[in-house]
C-alpha cells in the first residue's frame, strides 16, 4: 500500500531535532594539551585510522536516518557531545552519508581536560545560522582548584524562518559517584538557566531548545531545576528503567539524553513551529544482540575491548511542525 499524497505532504512539513552522544569521537592525533593519549595509534585503546573511519561512517549513517519515520528529510539540527575537535565534526558532515544533505556545523574548543567538546550540526536548507557563543561551567575540585568541564554552546538562528535559540549541554559525569557529583550538575543546570534568562531579557517570547547529555534523568533535581515552569520535557514520559531509555547501567535504563522545549513550542499558531512528538532512536541494529548486555547500545568499546559499534548511548529526537 502506497502512502497518500496528503500524508506525503504532511511529512514535508515536519522537521526533526536530534541529539547524540557519540562516545569519544577522537581522531588518532595526539593533542599535547589534553588527555587524549588512549585514543592514538600507540595508546591503550589502539585507536587506528581504520577504526576511526568505521566509527565516522556508522555515526553518520545513524544521523542521516533520524526522524525519517515521520519526516521526509534528515534532521534540521543535531546536537553532539563527546567530539574531540572541529576536524572530527567536519569528517562527519563530509562523510558519504551526510555530505549530500548540506550540513554546516558549529564547534568551539572547550577547556575539558579530556579534550571532548559539544557541537551542533545544522542542515542549511532549514536552518540559517546567526550567532554562536559558549558559556563556561565553573566547578572546583576537592582541593578548591578549578575543575574544567565542557562549556555550554548557545546557537541562535532561523529555523524554517523562525528565530530559535539552541543550548547544547554535556553536564559533569557520575564517575566519582552520584552524591559527590550531584552538586556539579546542579551548577551546570543553574548556568544553563542563567543563559536562558539572558536570552529572554533580549528576545521577547524567545523560542528555546535545550538539549544534552545531562548525566541525570528527567526526574532528577538538576533537570527539574532547569525545566522550571517555562519549559516542557517530553522525554520524562519516555523513560522506563526496566524497558526503555538511552543508555544502560547495571541492567537498568537511564535517559540522560534529552531535548527540552520552551512552552511556547506547545502553542499552535499560524506560521509558527510547534512540538509534535519525541522518541529514542533505538533500532535493533543499534543494539548488542546477545549476552548479558543484550538490548543495550552497541558501543565502540566495552572496557578496554574494541567492539566496533556505534556509541554507548542511543540518540534521541523530536519532531516540530509548522502550522499552516
Amino acid at each position: 500500500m502506497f502512502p497518500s499524497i496528503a500524508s506525503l505532504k504532511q511529512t514535508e512539513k515536519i522537521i526533526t531535532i536530534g541529539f547524540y552522544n557519540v562516545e569519544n569521537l577522537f581522531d588518532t592525533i595526539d593533542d599535547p594539551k589534553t588527555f587524549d593519549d588512549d585514543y592514538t595509534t600507540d595508546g591503550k585503546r589502539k585507536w587506528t585510522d581504520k577504526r576511526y573511519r568505521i566509527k565516522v561512517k556508522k555515526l553518520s549513517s545513524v544521523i542521516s536516518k533520524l526522524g525519517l519515520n515521520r519526516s521526509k528529510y534528515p534532521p534540521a539540527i543535531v546536537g553532539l557531545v563527546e567530539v574531540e575537535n572541529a576536524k572530527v565534526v567536519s569528517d562527519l558532515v563530509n562523510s558519504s552519508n551526510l555530505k549530500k544533505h548540506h550540513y554546516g556545523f558549529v564547534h568551539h574548543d572547550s577547556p575539558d581536560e579530556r579534550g571532548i567538546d559539544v557541537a551542533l550540526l545544522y542542515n542549511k536548507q532549514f536552518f540559517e545560522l546567526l550567532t554562536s557563543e559558549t558559556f563556561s561551567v565553573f566547578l572546583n575540585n576537592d582541593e578548591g582548584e578549578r575543575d574544567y568541564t565542557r562549556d555550554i554552546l548557545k546557537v541562535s538562528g532561523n529555523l524554517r524562518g523562525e528565530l530559535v535559540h539552541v543550548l547544547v549541554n554535556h553536564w559533569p559525569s557520575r564517575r566519582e559517584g552520584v552524591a559527590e557529583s550531584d552538586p556539579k550538575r546542579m551548577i551546570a543546570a543553574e548556568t544553563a538557566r542563567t543563559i536562558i534568562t539572558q536570552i529572554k531579557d533580549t528576545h521577547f517570547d524567545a523560542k528555546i531548545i535545550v538539549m544534552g547529555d545531562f548525566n541525570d534523568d528527567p526526574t532528577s533535581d538538576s533537570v527539574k531545576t532547569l525545566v522550571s515552569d517555562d519549559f516542557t520535557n517530553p522525554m520524562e514520559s519516555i523513560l522506563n528503567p526496566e524497558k526503555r531509555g538511552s543508555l544502560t547501567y547495571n541492567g537498568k535504563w537511564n535517559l540522560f539524553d534529552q531535548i527540552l522545549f520552551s512552552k511556547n513550542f506547545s502553542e499552535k499558531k499560524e506560521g509558527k513551529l510547534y512540538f509534535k512528538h519525541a522518541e529514542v532512536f533505538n533500532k535493533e541494529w543499534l543494539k548488542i544482540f546477545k549476552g548479558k548486555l543484550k538490548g543495550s547500545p552497541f558501543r565502540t568499546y566495552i572496557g578496554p575491548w574494541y567492539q566496533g559499534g556505534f556509541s554507548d548511548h542511543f540518540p534521541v529526537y523530536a519532531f516540530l511542525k509548522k502550522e499552516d
Side-chain angles (χ1 to χ4, degrees), residues 8 13-14 39 51 69 78 98 105 111-112 119 131 147 173 188 221 225-226 231 239 247 278 289 311:
L8 287 173
K13 296 177 181 179
I14 293 174
Y39 287 91
R51 289 180 175 183
N69 57 325
V78 185
L98 293 180
F105 68 89
D112 181 84
T131 63
D147 185 5
S173 76
D221 289 343
T225 296
L226 175 61
F231 274 77
L239 175 62
L247 71 157
F289 67 91
S311 171

Side-chain angles (χ1 to χ4, degrees), residues 23 27 71 75 104 117-118 120 144 153 178 190 202 204 249 263:
E23 187 203 1
D27 60 26
S71 176
D117 305 327
V118 306
L120 186 80
L153 173 64
V178 177
E190 291 167 353
T202 306
F204 173 74
Y249 182 72
K263 282 194 172 176

Side-chain angles (χ1 to χ4, degrees), residues 279-292:
E279 298 180 18
V280 177
F281 192 74
N282 55 1
K283 301 296 185 183
E284 290 301 315
W285 47 272
L286 278 172
K287 299 176 182 178
I288 296 173
F289 67 91
K290 64 180 180 180
K292 65 178 183 179

